[in-house]
Amino acid sequence: MASATTDGDDVVLELIDPSAVQNELRPEKVTSISTSGVENWNIGLLLQSPSVKVRANRNRLVEQSAYFRGLLCGSFSESSLAHVSIRWNLEALVHVLQFIHGFHLHITSNNFLLILEAALYFGVERLLLECESWFQQMTLAEGQQIPIDTVIEAWNFGLEQGIGFVPELCKGYLARNFAWVTSLNSFPDIPYDLLHSCIEHPLLTLDSERHLCEALLIWLSDNRRSSQCSSDDSKFDILRKVRISLLPLEFAAGDKLDDFRIRLTEYSEKISLAGCVHITALFLFLVVLPSDLDMTAKKRMVLSELDNCTANNRYVLGKSLMTMSYKSVREMDISKCPKLYFGSAVKWLLLAFPSLSILRASHCSQLKIEDFYCLLQKFPLITEVDMTVDTSPFLPAKVSVVSTSSDKYRVASTTPYAMLEENSLLLNVAKTSLENPAMSNISKLTLEGRNDINDLDLLKISALCGSLSYLNIKGCTMVTDMGISKLISKCLHIKSLILSYTSFGQSSVGVLCSDLLLTSNLTEVSDHKYSCTMAFRLQQLHIDGCKGIDQNSISQLMCRMYMLKILMLRGTSVTDDALYDFLGSFLESLDVSETMVSMQALTSVVRRNTGIRCLKATGCTKLNRPDTYDLASAVTANHKGYLFELSQHCILEEVAFGWGFSILSVEELVPLSRLRCITIGLGASPGHHVLCLLPKMCPLLESVILIFQVISDRIFRSIQESLKNLKVLQLCCCLGDLTSFACKISMLQLRILRLEWVTPWMTNNDLAILTKNCPNVVEFSLSGCKLLDSASQEIISNGWPGLTFIHLEECGKITLDGVSFLFNCIAIEDFLLRHNGKGIERNFIYEAASKLPLLRKLALDLCDACEGGFDSPSHAERCFLSTVMISRCKSQKCAFDSQTMEAFRSVHKETIVIEWDCKEARTTVVKERI
């Protein structure tokens, strides 16, 4: 540490804090210090004095500070004095003197601006450089989160004082950390100029363009009446910075390819293109080519490369393309991109994202399971893949199949998957991969709904994915219990199994309950007698809808599952004995809906698992029949209600209940105050007064579903007053005195609205009012509204242009004049029109598929066909469609009238289901209406 006294004459500086001058009546205690001991200064103690006298080195001050150079060497009267008074912020001035005299300052986000302002005022160039260096390190440091109010203050200060580096670093910091910044409550406090500069910054880093659009809408909404926007409507032009062609269709659609590029920077970690129907392979390749090439040259290079993407080399890496590489990108989402073919997408990913570890490609109809095998070969670092498709609308265990047929697609003579034949290199590798577990790092695999996979595919997956810990094959009806059991026996790391509506049965249970882990190093450190079984280590098990598992197998499984956190048993043959045998105490979510369990058995599980947050028990008719031997519990239940009993043992956040549940008093609602989702189904009897108080007692509710309940305007008024964050409202087959007042309730956060057989009085005017009061709905279902007509289409499309889900059934004459305005809702993915008027044309299926690029599910009724039927589209014409359901009715004579046309009414006869997957089209006729 340099000593000041050896460098020249001294001068005494009296530092006076202006904020302390007001206390002149108080005796002042002056503290005296010297810069010769600058390293020993106690800043906290010095700041307690209103003034401090500092003996400092005159030469040091003159050499390093423009302020002191002018003061001590110029024509000022103080230049010859040995004692000078300075009024300035005491803390800042002390820091400046420390720095001038060789002390290394510890700059923080709390004192940065204080020191910077002092360095600027006193003209200490070295300290200004030190401040710039520190701020640059802070804003560029990976993972560093600077308080947003500090950034805003620094931005304003930099602009006011003309310090160029401060605004530049502020906007760069916000641009690189935009995802985090937009998640803060203080995001709307960002000045418009800073936000605008941030968006235009070349390093703006986003997950998706939708993220930017939502953030700007939030900022504009919060600043609508503030000084930032109220006097200048041009501020809303900031929305022009959103690249519309990269938005999912529920936001916007269509634009020129040349105008936009995905926002990729060296800091990007996650990219989402989900729902961008206009994304093509050409678009993606153009994005990663060097920016110094003109668009014409880029297109020529890419088209040449894509032309070489023939069936046999669709995954071969193009050597002619010199692309930029983004090694920081770990996650990519290309779900629901109908124009993007997977072979080209894999090439693009290989060229630009070598470190990819998570790929989401759900609802990509052309994606085959063979693509997954090739993906594993090309991306050794990948750990998670999602290839979800829509599950079949009918399940063999729940419907009566009349007939079925299939039609395989015509393929070229040279298959792109020749490498996957039995004698191929890949399968040979797969057969030996258990000896080399490092072959694949995949740990989470989702194949939900894929009926194109079979037992052989499961065998290959078990060989290629030895480290698999999570598997979702929900609705994969072509795999057998034996195939599932063989996969489980090979993948010993599995802790989460999503097997809903599959053939999961006794063989698989036998594997889970065997001592497979006894000879491995995966055994849990436990003296539990079942600790060597895979069942003991399971943390998540979904077997809802699995009819192949009997009562004994479930009991065998339940007594071995100890670490379980999520258990879904809906629609299974689970018994009370199985629940009593379950000894786990870590459950967080339990679903026993549509089973024959009793309230006593259910309560015993809840008492042992106080961490349960989600409990579902709808359709359990035995719950309202207490055992005769437990009369005391029955009396208690009738007095307080079983839900009250259950809620005493855990803090429930989501419940679904029906038979056997009642809420008789407000007191019983108190333990449910943390609820976020509630479903009250058939058989539940909460009482009308309790339903009216439910929103007030449970203000955190985001989802309310009422089925076969008595409702009224009072309930809607209570919802409006208390549920400010309600996102889901579903009313089905409810009675009561509900009126058009319900349409006048403002629910600005509502996203899903389903009014099924509850509003028969609804008119076009009511519907128009509803769209204005619930402007953000994206899923809408309406049934039983006989007063609506074709004008309702325009009301719906104008009010909710971003709808992704529309179900209209028995709604007057909505389709009597055909379907036109509903096509303006171009983001529709699920579309149902039944018994709304005989005006739908024969080619409607093809027309809907071509005009609605994301449409996957379509349900119609032959009663609405103006020409007697509908044409079925070919494989090429179906576009993105995966399922079409056409119901057929028959005329049935009414017993009370045999003389008029009204003597006959239409009743359901059967449903024709057409399904397309990546390999074939299947047509099935079932008796049920689905």
Side-chain angles (χ1 to χ4, degrees):
M1 191 67 63
S3 173
T5 58
T6 62
D7 294 337
D9 297 335
D10 291 344
V11 62
V12 176
L13 305 177
E14 184 176 3
L15 316 182
I16 303 174
D17 194 333
S19 62
V21 174
Q22 299 176 357
N23 300 324
E24 294 179 353
L25 298 178
R26 180 173 57 84
E28 295 187 359
K29 180 181 179 182
V30 179
T31 302
S32 298
I33 55 176
S34 172
T35 55
S36 61
V38 67
E39 69 276 7
N40 298 319
W41 286 4
N42 187 327
I43 302 296
L45 186 61
L46 293 177
L47 296 181
Q48 294 178 9
S49 300
S51 65
V52 176
K53 290 185 177 181
V54 182
R55 180 173 294 276
N57 181 267
R58 182 185 294 266
N59 290 344
R60 278 287 187 94
L61 295 174
V62 169
E63 289 172 359
Q64 299 193 34
S65 167
Y67 173 88
F68 287 112
R69 190 178 308 121
L71 181 67
L72 301 178
C73 295
S75 59
F76 296 103
S77 57
E78 291 90 344
S79 60
S80 60
L81 297 178
H83 183 282
V84 178
S85 296
I86 303 174
R87 296 179 183 274
W88 192 261
N89 180 282
L90 189 57
E91 180 182 358
L93 191 46
V94 167
H95 283 316
V96 169
L97 292 176
Q98 283 183 306
F99 182 83
I100 289 176
H101 291 84
F103 185 76
H104 178 71
L105 293 182
H106 178 60
I107 303 176
T108 68
S109 58
N110 292 327
N111 65 18
F112 165 66
L113 290 180
L114 192 71
I115 295 175
L116 178 62
E117 184 178 14
L120 183 66
Y121 181 82
F122 290 99
V124 185
E125 290 291 335
R126 286 182 53 246
L127 185 52
L128 282 172
L129 293 174
E130 186 77 11
C131 289
E132 180 178 359
S133 176
W134 177 86
F135 197 48
Q136 187 175 40
Q137 290 177 10
M138 287 291 291
T139 55
L140 295 179
E142 186 175 350
Q144 182 68 44
Q145 293 183 347
I146 306 174
I148 195 66
D149 55 344
T150 299
V151 178
I152 295 173
E153 189 179 0
W155 164 271
N156 291 330
F157 178 80
L159 291 181
E160 291 170 1
Q161 303 297 329
I163 309 176
F165 76 85
V166 174
E168 284 298 320
L169 292 175
C170 284
K171 65 184 182 184
Y173 174 77
L174 290 187
R176 289 187 298 274
N177 297 277
F178 195 77
W180 168 71
V181 171
T182 56
S183 68
L184 302 175
N185 292 331
S186 55
F187 170 68
D189 298 336
I190 296 176
Y192 175 84
D193 290 339
L194 175 55
L195 181 63
H196 191 278
S197 299
C198 168
I199 293 172
E200 291 191 324
H201 199 280
L203 294 181
L204 178 63
T205 303
L206 297 166
D207 295 346
S208 66
E209 204 68 16
R210 174 177 182 167
H211 183 187
L212 174 61
C213 186
E214 290 177 330
L216 294 183
L217 289 173
I218 290 173
W219 189 94
L220 288 169
S221 176
D222 281 31
N223 288 282
R224 199 172 187 177
R225 295 177 178 84
S226 72
S227 58
Q228 295 211 58
C229 290
S230 60
S231 61
D232 188 0
D233 291 338
S234 65
K235 299 291 177 65
F236 289 87
D237 288 344
I238 196 171
L239 288 173
R240 297 181 184 275
K241 299 298 179 182
V242 177
R243 296 171 179 175
I244 299 176
S245 70
L246 299 179
L247 289 174
L249 272 187
E250 62 214 66
F251 272 72
D255 222 301
K256 293 182 179 179
L257 180 68
D258 295 5
D259 293 344
F260 301 113
R261 54 182 288 124
I262 303 169
R263 298 181 195 269
L264 276 172
T265 73
E266 59 187 287
Y267 302 96
S268 298
E269 297 181 0
K270 177 182 176 181
I271 301 297
S272 176
L273 301 175
C276 296
V277 299
H278 25 275
I279 293 292
T280 63
L282 173 61
F283 184 99
L284 296 180
F285 277 98
L286 292 176
V287 166
V288 296
L289 289 178
S291 57
D292 56 351
L293 295 175
D294 65 84
M295 183 58 67
T296 302
K298 287 182 179 182
K299 285 185 177 180
R300 185 168 54 250
M301 293 170 59
V302 174
L303 290 174
S304 174
E305 181 63 30
L306 293 178
D307 287 340
N308 292 329
C309 191
T310 58
N312 284 326
N313 70 348
R314 65 193 301 222
Y315 298 108
V316 176
L317 198 61
K319 297 180 180 179
S320 61
L321 290 179
M322 298 298 294
T323 63
M324 295 179 288
S325 180
Y326 300 90
K327 297 181 179 179
S328 62
V329 173
R330 299 287 187 272
E331 182 175 345
M332 178 68 65
D333 192 343
I334 54 173
S335 302
K336 294 187 289 188
C337 294
K339 294 184 180 179
L340 181 61
Y341 290 93
F342 197 73
S344 302
V346 169
K347 273 191 171 184
W348 176 65
L349 294 171
L350 283 169
L351 287 169
F353 312 104
S355 303
L356 191 68
S357 60
I358 299 175
L359 177 63
R360 307 191 191 283
S362 63
H363 303 295
C364 294
S365 57
Q366 81 283 1
L367 181 57
K368 300 179 176 65
I369 188 64
E370 291 86 353
D371 291 311
F372 168 69
Y373 305 142
C374 295
L375 191 70
L376 294 185
Q377 285 185 309
K378 301 296 184 181
F379 289 92
L381 298 180
I382 203 156
T383 60
E384 181 179 338
V385 175
D386 184 353
M387 295 170 56
T388 297
V389 296
D390 292 312
T391 55
S392 177
F394 67 89
L395 301 167
K398 286 191 172 184
V399 299
S400 303
V401 176
V402 177
S403 64
T404 184
S405 63
S406 62
D407 182 18
K408 293 189 178 297
Y409 307 141
R410 294 181 180 180
V411 295
S413 57
T414 305
T415 171
Y417 306 112
M419 68 175 79
L420 296 171
E421 298 299 329
E422 288 294 332
N423 59 353
S424 70
L425 172 63
L426 177 60
L427 191 56
N428 290 334
V429 173
K431 290 178 179 178
T432 60
S433 63
L434 287 179
E435 300 175 4
N436 180 22
M439 178 182 177
S440 168
N441 291 309
I442 193 82
S443 60
K444 185 173 182 179
L445 177 60
T446 301
L447 300 172
E448 182 175 325
R450 300 203 70 95
N451 283 327
D452 58 317
I453 66 170
N454 53 33
D455 287 356
L456 178 59
D457 292 311
L458 293 187
L459 181 63
K460 294 176 182 177
I461 290 170
S462 65
L464 289 166
C465 309
S467 57
L468 200 63
S469 63
Y470 175 101
L471 176 66
N472 181 348
I473 55 171
K474 176 182 178 181
C476 296
T477 57
M478 302 305 292
V479 299
T480 68
D481 182 33
M482 186 59 67
I484 296 173
S485 66
K486 288 183 178 180
L487 180 142
I488 296 174
S489 68
K490 301 296 184 182
C491 300
L492 300 182
H493 293 273
I494 281 188
K495 292 187 177 181
S496 296
L497 285 169
I498 316 300
L499 307 172
S500 310
Y501 303 102
T502 65
S503 298
F504 176 82
Q506 293 179 332
S507 297
S508 299
V509 171
V511 172
L512 287 173
C513 295
S514 64
D515 294 336
L516 274 177
L517 305 181
L518 189 62
T519 58
S520 71
N521 59 353
L522 301 176
T523 306
E524 299 286 341
V525 180
S526 172
D527 55 0
H528 195 284
K529 64 178 180 178
Y530 296 126
S531 61
C532 291
T533 67
M534 292 185 68
F536 181 87
R537 300 182 334 120
L538 278 181
Q539 295 183 4
Q540 186 174 181
L541 179 64
H542 295 227
I543 54 173
D544 40 315
C546 295
K547 301 299 184 180
I549 179 170
D550 58 23
Q551 296 179 4
N552 292 333
S553 296
I554 290 183
S555 295
Q556 181 186 7
L557 187 60
M558 292 287 282
C559 69
R560 288 167 172 79
M561 294 188 296
Y562 184 74
M563 307 296 292
L564 210 60
K565 294 182 178 180
I566 301 175
L567 179 59
M568 301 291 138
L569 298 171
R570 175 187 291 265
T572 64
S573 55
V574 63
T575 62
D576 284 359
D577 290 339
L579 291 187
Y580 285 126
D581 289 340
F582 180 69
L583 300 179
S585 58
F586 302 100
L587 274 182
E588 298 173 2
S589 181
L590 174 64
D591 187 353
V592 293
S593 300
E594 300 175 23
T595 65
M596 295 301 293
V597 299
S598 70
M599 187 63 73
Q600 289 73 27
L602 180 59
T603 304
S604 70
V605 173
V606 175
R607 285 173 177 168
R608 291 193 303 271
N609 292 267
T610 57
I612 286 182
R613 296 292 179 265
C614 174
L615 178 62
K616 298 181 180 181
T618 58
C620 300
T621 56
K622 193 178 176 182
L623 288 179
N624 67 334
R625 300 198 301 269
D627 295 343
T628 55
Y629 63 82
D630 197 2
L631 186 59
S633 295
V635 173
T636 302
N638 288 332
H639 175 65
K640 281 275 180 94
Y642 276 115
L643 187 58
F644 180 81
E645 161 73 11
L646 295 174
S647 62
Q648 296 301 299
H649 303 285
C650 51
I651 302 175
L652 293 172
E653 296 179 359
E654 180 177 357
V655 296
F657 55 87
W659 296 104
F661 290 92
S662 62
I663 305 176
L664 303 177
S665 66
V666 177
E667 179 187 2
E668 296 174 52
L669 287 175
V670 174
L672 302 175
S673 61
R674 300 278 293 275
L675 277 182
R676 294 187 178 276
C677 304
I678 187 170
T679 298
I680 305 178
L682 178 63
S685 52
H688 183 261
H689 68 291
V690 172
L691 284 181
C692 292
L693 290 172
L694 181 66
K696 181 178 181 181
M697 301 301 293
C698 306
L700 301 179
L701 278 173
E702 296 178 359
S703 174
V704 175
I705 300 175
L706 304 179
I707 305 171
F708 286 101
Q709 298 299 311
V710 178
I711 60 176
S712 69
D713 289 347
R714 282 184 58 199
I715 295 175
F716 269 80
R717 188 175 289 107
S718 181
I719 288 175
Q720 181 187 34
E721 293 173 353
S722 302
L723 302 185
K724 303 302 182 184
N725 294 312
L726 188 66
K727 295 179 176 62
V728 178
L729 178 62
Q730 179 176 342
L731 305 177
C732 179
C733 301
C734 294
L735 304 175
D737 56 352
L738 192 65
T739 71
S740 59
F741 172 80
C743 298
K744 301 174 183 178
I745 298 299
S746 178
M747 293 179 282
L748 299 181
Q749 301 300 320
L750 198 67
R751 304 286 287 171
I752 299 175
L753 176 61
R754 298 183 180 176
L755 303 174
E756 299 167 354
W757 308 104
V758 293
T759 55
W761 39 259
M762 182 176 286
T763 64
N764 285 345
N765 185 55
D766 295 326
L767 183 59
I769 294 173
L770 185 64
T771 62
K772 292 178 181 178
N773 287 311
C774 306
N776 296 309
V777 168
V778 294
E779 294 189 15
F780 180 58
S781 178
L782 192 63
S783 303
C785 300
K786 298 288 188 178
L787 302 180
L788 299 180
D789 57 32
S790 57
S792 301
Q793 290 191 42
E794 186 173 6
I795 294 172
I796 292 172
S797 62
N798 287 343
W800 296 315
L803 284 176
T804 63
F805 177 106
I806 299 180
H807 280 198
L808 301 173
E809 185 170 5
E810 298 286 356
C811 288
K813 302 177 181 179
I814 286 184
T815 59
L816 185 62
D817 297 328
V819 177
S820 55
F821 286 102
L822 289 179
F823 286 143
N824 293 335
C825 301
I826 58 174
I828 297 176
E829 300 176 18
D830 191 322
F831 201 6
L832 181 147
L833 296 172
R834 282 177 173 166
H835 289 184
N836 301 304
K838 197 178 185 71
I840 302 181
E841 297 181 351
R842 176 175 288 276
N843 68 339
F844 177 78
I845 298 175
Y846 169 75
E847 186 179 13
S850 59
K851 289 184 176 180
L852 305 173
L854 287 179
L855 183 65
R856 302 194 314 275
K857 297 180 180 180
L858 179 62
L860 302 170
D861 197 299
L862 286 177
C863 293
D864 296 333
C866 63
E867 300 176 57
F870 300 107
D871 293 333
S872 177
S874 66
H875 171 55
E877 293 173 335
R878 72 182 179 94
C879 300
F880 208 44
L881 267 177
S882 64
T883 306
V884 171
M885 295 172 286
I886 303 175
S887 296
R888 291 198 293 206
C889 297
K890 63 181 179 180
S891 296
Q892 179 171 300
K893 193 171 184 178
C894 298
F896 60 82
D897 189 350
S898 60
Q899 304 299 321
T900 65
M901 290 296 294
E902 285 73 17
F904 295 88
R905 62 187 180 91
S906 295
V907 296
H908 175 75
K909 180 182 179 181
E910 59 194 11
T911 302
I912 305 168
V913 182
I914 308 172
E915 298 176 274
W916 292 271
D917 60 25
C918 60
K919 295 182 178 179
E920 63 181 13
R922 292 183 301 277
T923 302
T924 308
V925 180
V926 299
K927 290 184 178 180
E928 290 75 12
R929 185 178 181 87
I930 56 176

